[in-house]
Amino acid sequence: MMVHARHRLLPLLLALAAGAAAADDKVFSLSGFGTLGLVRTSTDDAQYALFGQVRGADKDASAEVDTKLGVQVGAKFNSTFSATVQVLTKSNGKGNFMPGVEWAFVKAQVTPGLALRAGRMGAPFFAVSDFRDVGYANTALRPPKDVYDQVPVSHFDGADASYQLSTGLGTLTGQVFGGKASDTSQRYTVDVKRLAGFNATLETDAGLTLRLGYAEGKLTVGNAALNGLVTTLRATPFAAVGNQLDPNNSKASFSGVGLSWDQGEWVASAEYTQRRIKTFLADTDGWYVLVGHRFGPLTPYVTVSEARTVSSNVNNTIPAATAQLTALKAAVDNVVEGQRHTQKTFAVGARWDFARNLALKAQWENVRPDGRGYFISTTPAWGNGKTVNVISVALDTVF
Amino acid sequence: MNYNKLIPGLALALSGFAAQAQVAVVVNPKSAAASMTAEQVASIYLGKSSTLPSGATAAAADQAEGSAVREQFYSKVAGKQAAQVKAAWSRLVFSGKATPPKELGSSADVKKFVAANPDAIGYIEKSAVDGSVKVVLTVD
């Protein structure tokens, strides 16, 4: 599915890119962003990776976690119609840096307030969804994992409508969207069908932005081993446990509220999010609060965040009556434990705008997971989790 | 250190800066707008609004990145440093929401652009103002 979409989009992208290089700058614009990042942690018993990635950092520094490059071509055909294509390369859920078409949409600005878009576009699950990969656009080194690791897809194919209204309080933007999303997360395919949602943002003249969003869809994870376990369980008296684990067509929803403040020397942002899924994936809550202060080109910041599993969605009623049942029970427990994401993070960092279009960032995180948290590839020595210190540096650019 | 000598020197230096820093926001002489507030101008230049007070879609012109007049304009009108403005625009550009103002090389180019387009808006040093453009806001 993804491959076909990519093949259809590539010629369009190449045509646009060629146009951008050749044609005059009134129609086409070329821009891009990139990050060179390096991460290392205080443990070899697990790896620190962004959600979906198959490898990450441990005591050996990794450049894979944050390093990325995005190129965007915009085309403005007239005052109504425009198109945007963005290609992004980063360490992905297949374990490579294969560039992918992150966005490819056409936009019709029907009236000064009303815009319609169709194609592939950023899925607005979070406050900074659209520019989460643009390090330069954000104060912190990366969006807090405790919140942003909850959703394994970043874009969707479909359409949206947004309406912008000037009110006495500020600019109010309402967006409704629908379509489908697919991606690969830790080598498993993830498909969200019948994805629909809304997003409301109020941006006041005083520098405060409030955001409320909701999305739902039918989630399928392509996990053969898990489907096998579900089939096995359905042939036992514990079919209900199998049904709870079923990774196909599960109702999934994601909601979030956020606020950000950027006025004068202070920056602050906060989000609270809830993921609710009727399958082997857990229901999780995630929140963060970031506060930073500008001292000229230097912006130190502090982030406090937490990820919490509120329900595993699986009630493992299998008794350890026989060796076989004990093995089956353990298999279910193993799946459930693998999806439990509970951790607290305290991060201190700084952004330094040391040159035009360049920002250098450094961040220290103290992560306290309960179980695996959001760490991957845990070894037996990991036990039930340990406090991990994570050091990251990143150089961000836009062009 | 002799502070008595330092302070008048500092004051002189600062007043020199202030004189240099006068920036005029200009529109086409045919524009209906007689004056604009700093908030109105800032919202166009930070991509929060795309329209002039008349309701027409603004054609905004920027000065060259790194130029003194541009630094003064953003710090006085929007209260933002160059890097903050760039970060704000990268949020808009990389979400496909807006296109940044057209960057021109000099105040002469800005005047030419504004004089030729009834919906244009730009900013130049106050000393560069002439009859080809209309001043809607002056900051110093």
Side-chain angles (χ1 to χ4, degrees), chain A residues 25-26 29 31-33 72 76 84 86 103 105 107 112 117 130-131 134 136-138 164 171 203-205 207 262-264 294-297 351 353 356-357 398-399, chain B residues 39 43 46-51 55-57 64-66 71 78-100 102-103:
Chain A
D25 64 352
K26 278 181 184 153
S29 57
S31 42
F33 56 89
Q72 183 172 311
K76 195 165 170 53
T84 304
Q86 187 185 99
W103 305 341
F105 61 81
K107 176 178 170 185
R117 296 189 300 172
D130 277 350
F131 47 90
V134 186
Y136 189 89
N138 296 296
Q164 203 175 63
T171 306
E203 196 175 350
T204 73
D205 298 331
D262 187 346
Q263 187 76 349
R294 289 192 187 90
F295 298 94
R351 170 188 176 129
D353 287 287
R356 192 155 70 83
N357 296 351
V398 285
F399 53 92
Chain B
E39 287 74 27
S43 75
L46 294 175
K48 290 177 183 169
S49 160
S50 59
T51 52
T57 301
E65 260 187 76
E71 304 280 320
K80 294 201 186 291
Q81 305 164 11
Q84 279 177 272
V85 174
K86 192 78 184 180
W89 272 107
S90 42
R91 290 193 269 276
L92 293 165
V93 169
F94 296 114
S95 51
K97 281 189 183 128
T99 325
K102 188 182 175 66
E103 191 175 322

Side-chain angles (χ1 to χ4, degrees), chain A residues 189-207:
Chain A
T189 60
V190 176
D191 287 285
V192 186
K193 294 204 179 94
R194 288 160 59 189
L195 174 68
F198 75 89
N199 215 0
T201 309
L202 177 70
E203 196 175 350
T204 73
D205 298 331

Side-chain angles (χ1 to χ4, degrees), chain A residues 301-344:
Chain A
Y301 61 87
V302 172
T303 311
V304 180
S305 59
E306 182 177 10
R308 202 159 52 88
T309 295
V310 292
S311 168
S312 70
N313 291 321
V314 179
N315 183 12
N316 191 356
T317 54
I318 304 167
T322 67
Q324 261 185 323
L325 283 176
T326 304
L328 202 56
K329 182 181 176 63
V332 171
D333 281 341
N334 193 38
V335 171
V336 169
E337 181 58 23
Q339 294 304 326
R340 196 162 67 86
H341 300 300
T342 294
Q343 64 180 33
K344 291 177 184 169

